Amino acid sequence: MIYLDYAATHPMTAEALAAYAQAAALPGNPASVHAAGQAARERLEEGRAHVAAAFGVDPRTVIANSGGTEGDNAVLLGVAREWQEAHGAPGHLITTPTEHSAVLAPARWLEARGWAVSWLKPDAHGRYSPQELEATLRPETALVSIHHANNELGTVQDTPALTAVAAARGVPYHSDAVQAPGVLAVNLADWGVTYATFSAHKWGGPRGVGFVYVRRGAQLPPVTFGGGQEGGTRPGTQDTAGVYAAGVALNGAEAEREATFAHLSGLRERFMGNISDIPGLRVNHPADGSPKVVSVTLPGADGEALLMNLDLLGVAASAGSACSAGTMQPSHVLSAIGLSAADARASLRFSFGRATTPDEIDQAAAALRQAAEWSRA
């Protein structure tokens, strides 16, 4: 199998697997005061420190959780709760139609309960302008939530420019940055975000582990209640092994990030060169986006048939976000940038990783050519 679905999940690295096994063998609860508990606490905090170092922030601003979906919900619903309690009425949220469903769903949930939600308009590649954000802000805007790197297109936002607009009006800014680490530089202080969310399995860590960054001085009220773990923001016994393995994986990914970026850029250029003459093929991803992602449309083909044919030919790709897989509904991201429902259904996403080889790229390109012929027959 040629695995080209790294945007869905990055296989755990050997170093992360070894770190997980080591930490999982520790018997203690990291909240316990005895020696076994403190040994677990040391591993937990070591993992957190690796994550904080990679993002250029203080470890005390990094909250461990189960991943991007929990983090996105915690930020949107936590900030909304705080605003509504302080003002006695629903506020205003600004977000975009190309967000991951983990942002779209809580935004729509709030909208159904009286919140005003403004959806910024993307350009043809899914970018958002600071000028439009400035024009959309209101006195009652409680939060701006815009992803950094898009999971289906690879489009990278100018996050510092966007956060500067929000900051000038005193509005908190959240970035779903799940797709950035290991490929793109992540310096949260330079970005100027109030909140950022991450999933470890996107950089070779374990699934079911993630992090929320909360800038010093900002508040994030809990949306779940229990013990005092993670400063009371995310109660519940922490996954010591998962957090430690996530930190080890990110430490390795960050050390190789520049080489990875160059490697993926070469792979994407090679892949596009190999498939550019497929009849009718259209490119959706921007040339200056994350080199991990390729998005193409093959008009007249059926996306489900394309995926099945690629799978038969030994290539794992996707039709969009894995979190929406199985529905075969048109991608909301591709629809938002102007593709028709038929073209969105005829689109595929390929995403590469550090372990992807040029030979695999050549084989995958040949498989796509064959799959397109079968799907259009």
Side-chain angles (χ1 to χ4, degrees):
M1 173 64 67
I2 298 173
Y3 184 75
L4 300 182
D5 203 16
Y6 280 82
T9 196
H10 188 305
M12 278 185 75
T13 64
E15 294 79 10
L17 284 166
Y20 190 95
Q22 181 192 61
L26 298 173
N29 184 317
S32 299
V33 297
H34 49 61
Q38 292 310 295
R41 167 64 67 177
E42 287 179 7
R43 282 290 177 265
L44 177 74
E45 296 307 329
E46 186 176 347
R48 191 194 313 274
H50 282 315
V51 172
F55 299 156
V57 297
D58 187 312
R60 290 172 292 182
T61 64
V62 176
I63 298 167
N65 66 9
S66 67
T69 293
E70 181 185 345
D72 290 343
N73 276 263
V75 172
L76 269 69
L77 299 181
V79 170
R81 173 185 156 217
E82 182 180 48
W83 172 276
Q84 197 152 343
E85 288 178 351
H87 295 83
H92 174 231
L93 169 69
I94 299 174
T95 188
T96 83
T98 58
E99 299 299 314
H100 190 277
S101 57
V103 169
L104 295 182
R108 289 171 178 150
W109 188 89
L110 289 169
E111 192 172 33
R113 285 155 180 82
W115 276 70
V117 179
S118 294
W119 305 89
L120 301 180
K121 294 181 174 59
D123 69 11
H125 289 304
R127 294 188 187 88
Y128 299 94
S129 75
Q131 293 76 21
E132 185 190 4
L133 176 59
E134 171 68 39
T136 308
L137 288 166
R138 305 178 189 174
E140 67 273 20
T141 303
L143 182 70
V144 174
S145 181
I146 303 175
H147 60 275
H148 183 66
N150 189 268
N151 61 313
E152 294 191 35
L153 296 170
T155 305
V156 179
Q157 305 298 333
D158 187 351
T159 298
L162 292 165
T163 60
V165 171
R169 300 278 288 274
V171 177
Y173 187 105
H174 164 243
S175 175
D176 178 333
V178 163
Q179 292 291 338
V183 180
L184 307 172
V186 178
N187 189 308
L188 296 176
D190 288 348
W191 285 7
V193 296
T194 317
Y195 310 102
T197 42
F198 302 93
S199 286
H201 72 102
K202 303 299 187 181
W203 63 67
R207 300 170 187 89
V209 179
F211 303 92
V212 179
Y213 163 73
V214 181
R215 191 176 65 204
R216 292 292 293 273
Q219 300 296 317
L220 184 60
V223 294
T224 57
F225 302 90
Q229 295 92 341
E230 301 299 307
T233 298
R234 202 273 187 174
T237 300
Q238 297 101 327
D239 181 356
T240 299
V243 172
Y244 179 56
V248 168
L250 185 55
N251 190 47
E254 181 62 19
E256 299 178 7
R257 177 175 50 78
E258 291 185 1
T260 297
F261 187 95
H263 176 62
L264 300 185
S265 297
L267 294 178
R268 186 172 69 169
E269 183 178 357
R270 186 183 187 106
F271 187 67
M272 295 309 300
N274 284 343
I275 66 172
S276 61
D277 63 342
I278 293 178
L281 181 135
R282 296 207 297 261
V283 179
N284 302 316
H285 63 268
D288 59 353
S290 171
K292 178 168 75 172
V293 176
V294 162
S295 174
V296 294
T297 299
L298 293 94
D302 176 78
E304 187 172 12
L306 282 169
L307 286 177
M308 292 176 63
N309 288 332
L310 282 171
D311 194 48
L312 289 171
L313 292 165
V315 177
S318 74
S321 170
C323 297
S324 301
T327 66
M328 289 316 296
Q329 294 298 311
S331 159
H332 69 272
V333 171
L334 298 181
S335 297
I337 63 170
L339 271 69
S340 67
D343 282 350
R345 287 193 182 94
S347 299
L348 295 174
R349 179 189 70 182
F350 298 86
S351 48
F352 314 135
R354 296 195 298 274
T356 308
T357 68
D359 184 57
E360 288 178 322
I361 288 296
D362 293 344
Q363 293 180 58
L368 177 58
R369 190 180 302 278
Q370 181 65 72
E373 291 179 5
W374 290 346
S375 301
R376 285 168 163 167

